[in-house]
Amino acid sequence: MSVREFLEQQEHLYLDPRAAFSDRSKGRPIPEEVRDDEVRTCYQRDVDRIIHSKAFRRLMHKTQVFLRPEGDHYRTRMTHTIEVARIARTIARALRLNEDLTEAIAMGHDLGHTPFGHAGELALSEVMGIPFHHNEQSLRVVDVLEKDGNGLNLTNEVRMGIVGHTGSYIPETLEGQIVRRSDQIAYVNHDIDDAMRAGILTNDDIPESISRLLGYTHKDRINTLVCDMIGASREAGVLTMSADVETALKDLRAFMFEHVYRNPVAKAQECKARDMLQRLYEYYIAHPEALPADFQPQLSFDGMERTVCDYIAGMTDKYAVDKYAELFIPAGWNVRG
């Protein structure tokens, strides 16, 4: 018996019957021989494919909420991704669901995020004339764009978990649903932490009715939400939270939209970022030959607009600023006599 077969056997002995078992996956877009890997289950392979991808590495230089903050301790898309993965695995483990599938979805859920966070999404939505949704772009990254246009060929369960981490589609697997809720738990709480670091919020600003129920510290709020989801889900037999904690989380999210996500201090640079990305888009539409060599073949089958959109969506914040400076800001020069 191979290591993979042993792990698959252990899943059936330990996991809840509602878990997504590795040996029952619906498969990949391009079928692969299971025997090709005698050590890892299919979901473990997917985790590794995502972590070794270029799109995953770029997450460390992509904005979470504060655009290009001065300070080493503000969240990035990568630190957010890791926090989501840890919360999601804790919940999955407690409910005896598949931790490897949960981790793969969490690690891949934000691969399609634009530079400058949601300001980048808005910029691309405006120039494309259709809504740009980062969850759909994340699926496009793993299906098409990675590995020079070959994609990562992930399992169906991971792919649907990625696209369903936000938006109207709800993943079929409980593991995918856990990542969806863990994303909410993570970003609301770490955005509070970052807003306090930026001087926008203090603990006293959070309504007492919310703090009394969820806790007065970052640690306590996350612990309350995670433990409540585990306890309520065990009791109800479906993934859920108790009614009062669910309401408190919604109220906390509404509070964050009012005081942080729409705060002029936090959003001060968004108009500049949006204008910058739109000018880059217009430039590459007019000069497709300026696109990198690895994007040139894509022009012939995806068209100019889609190719330019993919290129800009994949940029990090710094890369976008550097490209803008290169294209639109005069460079210094010296005259030698």
Side-chain angles (χ1 to χ4, degrees):
M1 178 185 297
S2 69
V3 173
R4 173 185 53 76
E5 291 170 327
F6 174 77
L7 293 173
E8 291 171 346
Q9 183 183 78
Q10 291 300 301
E11 287 182 358
H12 286 281
L13 293 175
Y14 175 73
L15 296 184
D16 186 279
R18 295 167 297 175
F21 295 99
S22 300
D23 61 357
R24 294 181 183 174
S25 169
K26 294 181 179 179
R28 305 177 184 277
I30 302 174
E32 298 176 6
E33 289 290 338
V34 176
R35 70 174 67 93
D36 286 348
D37 197 322
E38 294 298 312
V39 175
R40 300 169 296 174
T41 68
C42 60
Y43 301 137
Q44 290 171 346
R45 294 181 75 179
D46 285 356
V47 172
D48 292 340
R49 290 180 184 188
I50 291 168
I51 289 177
H52 287 282
S53 70
K54 292 185 291 186
F56 184 80
R57 294 196 293 275
R58 290 196 299 269
L59 293 178
M60 72 170 65
H61 299 299
K62 291 199 176 191
T63 287
Q64 181 63 26
V65 172
F66 297 92
L67 304 191
R68 305 190 78 196
E70 294 182 3
D72 294 335
H73 301 126
Y74 289 92
R75 266 69 173 194
T76 65
R77 286 291 163 194
M78 179 171 284
T79 57
H80 163 72
T81 293
I82 293 170
E83 291 184 37
V84 172
R86 294 311 304 163
I87 290 171
R89 286 198 67 156
T90 296
I91 296 171
R93 186 184 309 119
L95 298 179
R96 293 192 299 121
L97 298 173
N98 196 312
E99 288 186 60
D100 295 319
L101 172 58
T102 304
E103 182 179 21
I105 296 169
M107 288 299 185
H109 82 280
D110 267 358
L111 293 179
H113 246 299
T114 60
F116 305 111
H118 294 286
E121 285 189 283
L122 180 58
L124 291 178
S125 294
E126 290 175 349
V127 294
M128 292 286 287
I130 56 174
F132 179 98
H133 298 298
H134 75 270
N135 57 322
E136 296 173 359
Q137 187 70 10
S138 294
L139 183 62
R140 181 168 172 79
V141 167
V142 300
D143 276 359
V144 178
L145 301 179
E146 271 296 321
K147 294 185 68 176
D148 300 322
N150 294 308
L152 300 180
N153 199 33
L154 304 181
T155 56
N156 183 73
E157 292 78 9
V158 174
R159 296 172 59 251
M160 294 300 98
I162 287 173
V163 78
H165 84 270
T166 189
S168 59
Y169 172 73
I170 307 297
E172 294 181 4
T173 65
L174 289 173
E175 291 83 356
Q177 295 171 33
I178 285 174
V179 173
R180 186 181 176 96
R181 299 310 305 270
S182 298
D183 186 35
Q184 299 167 0
I185 292 171
Y187 77 69
V188 167
N189 282 285
H190 65 49
D191 291 349
I192 291 174
D193 193 39
D194 280 355
M196 290 181 179
R197 180 170 292 108
I200 294 175
L201 284 183
T202 69
N203 257 325
D204 294 337
D205 294 323
I206 300 174
E208 175 67 19
S209 59
I210 297 175
S211 295
R212 191 184 315 117
L213 189 58
L214 299 185
Y216 292 87
T217 67
H218 177 76
K219 170 186 173 183
D220 289 341
R221 283 188 293 269
I222 290 181
N223 187 64
T224 298
L225 290 164
V226 169
C227 290
D228 183 83
M229 176 162 281
I230 291 169
S233 299
R234 279 178 165 174
E235 184 174 337
V238 295
L239 192 67
T240 188
M241 285 183 177
S242 61
D244 54 349
V245 171
E246 182 82 60
T247 298
L249 177 59
K250 289 179 180 178
D251 290 344
L252 182 58
R253 187 170 180 270
F255 168 83
M256 289 295 290
F257 268 95
E258 180 180 355
H259 293 273
V260 176
Y261 301 140
R262 299 191 183 106
N263 186 290
V265 176
K267 304 287 104 176
Q269 303 299 315
E270 279 202 353
C271 287
K272 294 179 183 179
R274 191 165 69 246
D275 291 344
M276 181 177 66
L277 295 182
Q278 289 176 346
R279 284 199 68 187
L280 286 172
Y281 179 89
E282 292 165 359
Y283 177 86
Y284 287 111
I285 289 293
H287 303 89
E289 72 281 356
L291 289 168
D294 52 343
F295 280 86
Q296 294 296 328
Q298 187 181 337
L299 290 167
S300 62
F301 53 84
D302 274 336
M304 192 182 304
E305 290 81 5
R306 182 72 253 178
T307 303
V308 173
C309 178
D310 286 340
Y311 177 47
I312 292 176
M315 291 179 175
T316 64
D317 296 12
K318 182 180 183 302
Y319 186 85
V321 170
D322 289 347
K323 276 296 172 185
Y324 183 87
E326 175 188 318
L327 295 173
F328 299 111
I329 296 177
W333 59 282
N334 292 314
V335 178
R336 296 183 180 183

